[in-house]
Amino acid sequence: MFDSNNKNWKRFIIPCGIALLFLMLFLDFSIFSDNLNNRTLAQEQKFIEEALEKNITTCYCVEGFYPPSLNYIEREYGFTYNSTKFYIDYTFIADNLRPHVIVLQK
């Protein structure tokens, strides 16, 4: 009689253990992919900031004034970015003062 209870117990524990193992692997993968996505967005944001700074400096060196708008940089210097993921606040001050630029994730 003790033997049959032991077998029933094993039939219950082994599938639960396997299900728990798969659940843990799934959660670990989910956390890893979310972390990877956040790092990728942060790198993309940094790349956009650096590209904007280079385009602003190039415009000032070549044309003698800072770009009056973000559209001007896009049109004249071919700057592109994903506007569904990022918002760029471009504040033009004057022709001879560097604009204030902030790149934010949406």
Side-chain angles (χ1 to χ4, degrees):
M1 178 140 183
F2 182 77
D3 228 7
S4 68
N5 284 338
N6 194 14
K7 287 181 183 180
N8 287 336
W9 183 75
K10 284 182 182 179
R11 274 191 233 157
F12 177 74
I13 290 296
I14 292 174
C16 286
I18 292 172
L20 184 62
L21 178 67
F22 279 114
L23 179 65
M24 289 172 53
L25 288 173
F26 176 75
L27 289 175
D28 189 42
F29 179 74
S30 297
I31 291 169
F32 172 76
S33 66
D34 191 40
N35 189 17
L36 183 63
N37 186 33
N38 288 340
R39 281 189 277 158
T40 303
L41 279 175
Q43 288 174 345
E44 190 174 349
Q45 180 180 358
K46 184 178 178 182
F47 178 74
I48 291 171
E49 290 169 352
E50 290 172 357
L52 265 174
E53 292 300 320
K54 285 181 183 180
N55 285 318
I56 289 169
T57 303
T58 301
C59 180
Y60 188 74
C61 291
V62 171
E63 300 182 30
F65 60 88
Y66 286 110
S69 68
L70 183 60
N71 290 334
Y72 184 84
I73 296 172
E74 292 173 339
R75 187 176 63 248
E76 299 296 323
Y77 293 92
F79 175 75
T80 59
Y81 70 101
N82 189 344
S83 60
T84 59
K85 289 183 183 179
F86 297 98
Y87 170 76
I88 297 178
D89 180 35
Y90 187 90
T91 306
F92 179 73
I93 302 167
D95 286 345
N96 61 343
L97 295 175
R98 190 171 192 83
H100 190 302
V101 180
I102 298 174
V103 179
L104 300 171
Q105 292 179 19
K106 286 187 177 179

